[in-house]
Amino acid sequence: MYYYIIVALQVLCFYHCYKNNKEYYWYFIIFFIPLVGCIIYLITQVVNKKDVSIISEEITTIINPTKKIKDLETAVKFSDTFQNKINLADAYSEIKEYNNAILYYEKALDSGFKNDPYTLNKLIKCYYKVGNFDKVIAYSQKINLEKEFQESIYFYGLALEKKAYFKEAEIQLKKLDIRYSNYNERLELSKFLIRRNKNAAAKEVLKEMLQEIKSMSKQNAKRYKAVFMEAEKVTNEL
């Protein structure tokens, strides 16, 4: 059976090779290294080359993240456009170099896109990560978080707490208390309520979360296992 599968795969590759006028050396690779040769041919010649390029780029980024940064820095030097600066800032943000990310996001805003909401939203996370809570609050108030950037309400709420705007912080964090979603954010809401000596309200949030995760499929419950365990721990400590 295995033999016939290999032969069928070879025939398929030979046919594709012939139909698309591929180089002759592919015939030798497919014939003399049957399985491996066919796999190499399919990946490099049949699979969408754009997809292969993307996968290759992602692997290179994982192995050598600084290469992507250097390439994007070169792009900015060659063409100092808004998009090139955003791409470089995004790359810095991906590797958690938030100060550098902030630098290029701000430069992008200065190039005629002062109130671009998507850039401002990215800055909210970066400024939170470096502990600049004043900037988090200022930029959060410039865009409609509820309409387009709900994930940033989390950073906004916690930044408000850091600056002692407790009432407003609670209002913002409670916007994330949506059933069957936002488990990490709701866990943080419960901890915020505990810090504000509102244990009964915190228990209610935790109780709902635990019940929801218990009623999930095994696959989804496994996904939120860490949140479930932390929620149980916080509940038991109350």
Side-chain angles (χ1 to χ4, degrees):
M1 184 66 179
Y2 174 78
Y3 171 78
Y4 291 111
I5 293 171
I6 298 297
V7 171
L9 196 58
Q10 283 180 299
V11 170
L12 174 67
C13 291
F14 279 137
Y15 175 76
H16 186 276
C17 201
Y18 170 76
K19 191 176 180 181
N20 291 277
N21 297 313
K22 297 295 181 181
E23 294 83 356
Y24 281 105
Y25 62 77
W26 280 115
Y27 292 93
F28 293 101
I29 292 172
I30 294 164
F31 184 80
F32 289 108
I33 352 174
L35 180 59
V36 175
C38 288
I39 291 171
I40 292 170
Y41 179 82
L42 289 170
I43 290 174
T44 60
Q45 304 301 310
V46 180
V47 175
N48 188 304
K49 289 191 175 183
K50 184 180 178 182
D51 293 338
V52 173
S53 176
I54 291 168
I55 292 167
S56 175
E57 186 179 334
E58 288 176 350
I59 292 170
T60 302
T61 300
I62 292 167
I63 296 171
N64 182 17
T66 58
K67 182 185 183 302
K68 182 177 181 180
I69 297 291
K70 288 176 181 176
D71 290 345
L72 291 170
E73 283 176 340
T74 301
V76 169
K77 288 176 183 176
F78 179 75
S79 180
D80 192 28
T81 64
F82 171 81
Q83 192 56 57
N84 281 346
K85 283 179 277 196
I86 291 294
N87 292 342
L88 179 54
D90 286 345
Y92 274 124
S93 182
E94 285 171 13
I95 60 173
K96 298 180 170 50
E97 288 193 21
Y98 296 113
N99 283 310
N100 282 325
I102 287 168
L103 175 65
Y104 284 97
Y105 283 136
E106 291 286 8
K107 284 184 176 182
L109 288 175
D110 287 338
S111 58
F113 297 85
K114 199 72 179 175
N115 295 309
D116 179 66
Y118 296 95
T119 305
L120 290 171
N121 182 58
K122 290 175 180 180
L123 276 164
I124 289 169
K125 176 184 175 180
C126 291
Y127 274 123
Y128 182 83
K129 292 295 185 180
V130 300
N132 190 333
F133 305 118
D134 288 320
K135 283 284 190 179
V136 174
I137 294 168
Y139 285 160
S140 295
Q141 292 173 348
K142 282 188 172 186
I143 57 180
N144 190 336
L145 295 181
E146 287 187 66
K147 185 178 180 180
E148 295 183 280
F149 310 108
Q150 286 192 10
E151 72 281 0
S152 292
I153 293 174
Y154 174 77
F155 300 115
Y156 180 37
L158 294 180
L160 287 165
E161 182 192 10
K162 294 289 186 181
K163 301 304 292 185
Y165 298 117
F166 301 119
K167 185 177 179 181
E168 182 59 29
E170 184 171 342
I171 291 170
Q172 295 302 321
L173 292 173
K174 279 186 173 179
K175 290 176 182 178
L176 301 171
D177 189 17
I178 302 169
R179 297 202 70 183
Y180 297 100
S181 61
N182 299 337
Y183 289 105
N184 286 298
E185 291 81 358
R186 290 161 72 190
L187 178 60
E188 192 58 48
L189 168 61
S190 71
K191 292 179 179 180
F192 166 82
L193 292 169
I194 292 167
R195 291 193 292 271
R196 302 306 304 148
N197 297 315
K198 296 185 177 183
N199 290 1
K203 278 184 180 179
E204 194 61 35
V205 173
L206 292 164
K207 180 183 175 183
E208 281 192 356
M209 287 175 57
L210 291 170
Q211 287 175 342
E212 288 168 23
I213 296 174
K214 281 179 183 177
S215 65
M216 286 179 178
S217 66
K218 285 186 178 180
Q219 185 177 357
N220 283 333
K222 186 178 180 181
R223 179 183 173 190
Y224 294 109
K225 184 179 178 181
V227 176
F228 183 86
M229 291 176 66
E230 180 67 14
E232 270 197 329
K233 179 185 174 185
V234 174
T235 301
N236 293 332
E237 290 174 351
L238 285 172

